[in-house]
Structures are given as C-alpha cells and as structure tokens.
C-alpha cells in the first residue's frame, strides 16, 4: 500500500499493486481503505483509491450547507486531469458508482465503468426539493454535532452498527483513515455536511437523461438486491437507459467487497484482464 496526494494535497489516497490502472471511488462516509481487502485479490491491477472530498484525509468540498451531487464532478474531473492516464477506468461503490456514472456522461476520457451496488443518484420531485431546501435554509449554519467516544474500541463498534452494518475487521480497515482523536475523545473524521439532507436532487427524468448519455460499457454488480424490490420499475428504467449495461447479481451485504472480497475480485478480473 502506497499513499499518494493530488491537487496540492486536496485529494489524498492509497494505491495497491501493479498493472492496469483503475481509479476507485468509495461510498458515502467510507474512505479509500474500503478497497483494501479487494486490492489483495487483484493481481495485475494497479488500484488507485482516493478519499472523496470530506472523507478520510482529503479536504472538504467548498460548498454551503447541504450537498448537491453534481458539485462533486469538477473536483473529480481535476483528479482525472492530474492522473493523466491514457485511459480512465473507474471502479465505484455506492456513491462512488453514482459519481462515476455521472462523470462518464460528460467526460470522454472514461472508457469503462465497474459499478458496485449503485445505479444513479437518489431522485426527488420538485415539491420535495423545495421542502428540503426550505428546511436547510431554516437550519442554515447548524451542523450535526461531533460525537466523542471514550476509546478506540468504542468508536469502531459504533461504525459496525451504521446504516449498513460492518464486521469488526471491515470497520477496523475503515478506521485507519476515518477516525481522529482530540482531548475530548475519539471522533469520526468526516465533513459533517455529508450527513445533512441534499441541497437539491435531480428529478428521475433528469437522472434517466444523464444515464442515457453514457456511451461506454458499464458493468454493474448488485449486492443488496433486497433494497430494490420497493422500486423495481425505477431500477428497470435506469437499466434500460444505459446503452451498454451488463448487470450481475451477487447476493450479500452492501459492503460485500469488504466482507467477502474474493468473488467480487473474480468478477472484476474477468472484466479487466
């Protein structure tokens, strides 16, 4: 594992292996170490995993209260500029997969997308967007407070009990870049704005339009199939919007690539080598 730094230190990351270069984008509130277990099973692949803005050791995005998914793209475009590879292949998990798809719609340097458990961002109707923005406006300047823990073990256990539960081993891997310590105790080190409601969301029609602009092969590996039955029509419409999409189901948790990396690595290698 070798650390690297881009954009005058604004973006930090780690890389593993040698071979075909792949840029890895992690999920929300994760960090570059979410790919560490997977990297151990990818011979012939040089995996460059960044900490997305506001995560791990990277700087925050210069945004106001709330997040808008498209605001991430210019910074990620600068990362691709800095790497300056002959071809750009993106491996994305969850949020990282969604960002990779949006990037591929506007950046012709991306030649292949490998997506883990993510197809397009969350959508909202106009009235929902207005109500969310109105709420954020009324709460402007208020951030979710930092919670402190009395021990390293306690804070790692809290990460295990998140929205998507993790094993102790997976939580420990993330902790290497996700936890800080101060006189007040141990704390999760991420931009608190990441836990606020989205400033604005694209409509479903806009998302389908963006997905339709992707002209390269997109390989989608779906883990958490049990999260989709409430929205089968939405998922089918998004699949149909991507011209060169291939979808594979591999039952498991949302962080299957961290918990059981071998089958995920086998799936990736079949598409990369």
């Amino acid at each position: 594992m070798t650390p690297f730094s881009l954009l005058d230190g604004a973006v930090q990351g780690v890389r593993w292996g040698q071979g075909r270069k792949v840029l890895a984008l992690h999920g929300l509130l994760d960090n570059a170490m979410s790919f560490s277990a997977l990297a151990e099973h990818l011979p012939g692949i040089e995996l460059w995993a960044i900490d997305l803005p506001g995560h791990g050791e990277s700087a925050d995005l210069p945004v106001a209260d709330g997040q808008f998914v498209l605001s991430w793209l210019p910074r990620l475009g600068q990362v691709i500029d800095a790497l300056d590879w002959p071809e750009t292949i993106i491996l994305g998990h969850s949020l990282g997969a969604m960002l990779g798809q949006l990037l591929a719609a506007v950046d012709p340097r991306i030649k292949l997308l490998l997506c883990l458990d993510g197809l397009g961002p969350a959508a909202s109707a106009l009235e929902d967007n207005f109500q969310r923005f109105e709420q954020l406006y009324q709460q402007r300047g208020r951030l979710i407070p930092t919670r402190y823990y009395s021990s390293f073990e306690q804070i790692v256990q809290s990460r295990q009990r998140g929205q998507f539960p993790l094993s102790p081993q997976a939580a420990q891997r993330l902790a290497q870049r996700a936890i800080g310590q101060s006189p007040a105790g141990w704390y999760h080190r991420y931009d608190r704005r990441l836990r606020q409601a989205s400033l604005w969301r694209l409509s479903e029609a806009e998302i389908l339009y963006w997905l339709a602009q992707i002209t390269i092969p997109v390989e989608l590996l779906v883990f958490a199939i049990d999260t989709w039955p409430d929205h089968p029509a939405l998922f089918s419409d998004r699949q149909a919007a991507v011209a060169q999409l291939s979808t594979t189901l591999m039952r498991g948790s949302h962080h299957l690539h961290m918990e059981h990396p071998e089958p995920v690595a086998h799936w990736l290698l079949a598409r990369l080598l």
Side-chain angles (χ1 to χ4, degrees), residues 15-267:
R15 61 179 175 85
W16 298 267
Q18 293 182 330
R20 195 174 188 187
K21 292 181 173 63
V22 176
L23 175 62
L25 308 178
H26 61 77
L28 184 66
L29 300 186
D30 294 341
N31 58 64
M33 289 303 294
S34 68
F35 295 103
S36 60
L38 191 61
E40 296 170 5
H41 301 278
L42 293 176
I45 301 301
E46 189 171 318
L47 193 64
W48 291 62
I50 65 168
D51 294 325
L52 289 171
H55 297 75
E57 299 179 8
S58 289
D60 298 340
L61 275 176
V63 296
D65 291 353
Q67 295 284 340
F68 178 44
V69 66
L70 296 184
S71 67
W72 300 69
L73 301 190
R75 176 60 55 85
L76 294 177
Q78 290 173 337
V79 168
I80 296 174
D81 294 341
L83 292 173
D84 195 25
W85 293 343
E87 64 170 3
T88 299
I89 298 171
I90 292 181
L91 166 63
H93 169 243
S94 192
L95 171 64
M98 301 169 197
L99 291 173
Q101 291 151 12
L102 295 171
L103 271 174
V106 296
D107 195 323
R109 295 172 295 179
I110 301 171
K111 303 303 182 184
L112 174 64
L113 284 179
L114 303 160
C115 302
L116 308 180
D117 223 26
L119 182 59
S124 278
L126 180 60
E127 60 272 19
D128 295 330
N129 266 330
F130 179 79
Q131 291 171 6
R132 185 182 303 105
F133 185 88
E134 186 179 36
Q135 182 180 24
L136 280 170
Y137 181 79
Q138 297 300 331
Q139 298 176 349
R140 59 192 178 277
R142 303 178 202 167
L143 294 179
I144 294 173
T146 300
R147 180 178 177 183
Y148 295 96
Y149 298 81
S150 60
S151 68
F152 178 79
E153 292 75 17
Q154 188 181 57
I155 194 171
V156 169
Q157 289 172 4
S158 75
R159 188 62 177 84
Q160 293 174 233
R161 299 189 298 268
Q163 180 184 2
F164 299 105
L166 291 172
S167 67
Q169 295 80 7
Q172 288 272 3
R173 285 180 183 268
L174 287 178
Q176 296 178 51
R177 298 177 76 82
I179 290 174
Q181 188 178 24
S182 75
W186 296 87
Y187 62 94
H188 293 291
R189 192 181 65 240
Y190 56 78
D191 184 350
R192 289 311 185 265
R193 293 172 295 184
L194 293 169
R195 292 185 60 193
Q196 290 181 313
S198 297
L199 184 67
W200 201 263
R201 289 178 177 174
L202 298 173
S203 69
E204 188 61 27
E206 288 173 317
I207 291 170
L208 293 175
Y209 183 87
W210 276 78
L211 293 176
Q213 308 315 303
I214 303 173
T215 60
I216 61 171
V218 179
E219 298 286 344
L220 172 64
L221 182 57
V222 178
F223 301 155
I225 191 63
D226 294 334
T227 67
W228 285 103
D230 290 340
H231 310 282
L234 179 150
F235 188 53
S236 295
D237 288 346
R238 291 187 179 189
Q239 286 180 298
V242 183
Q244 297 189 63
L245 175 68
S246 176
T247 304
T248 304
L249 168 63
M250 189 177 294
R251 287 195 177 275
S253 72
H254 184 58
H255 288 94
L256 184 65
H257 63 303
M258 295 181 64
E259 306 287 7
H260 300 286
E262 295 92 339
V264 180
H266 180 77
W267 179 87

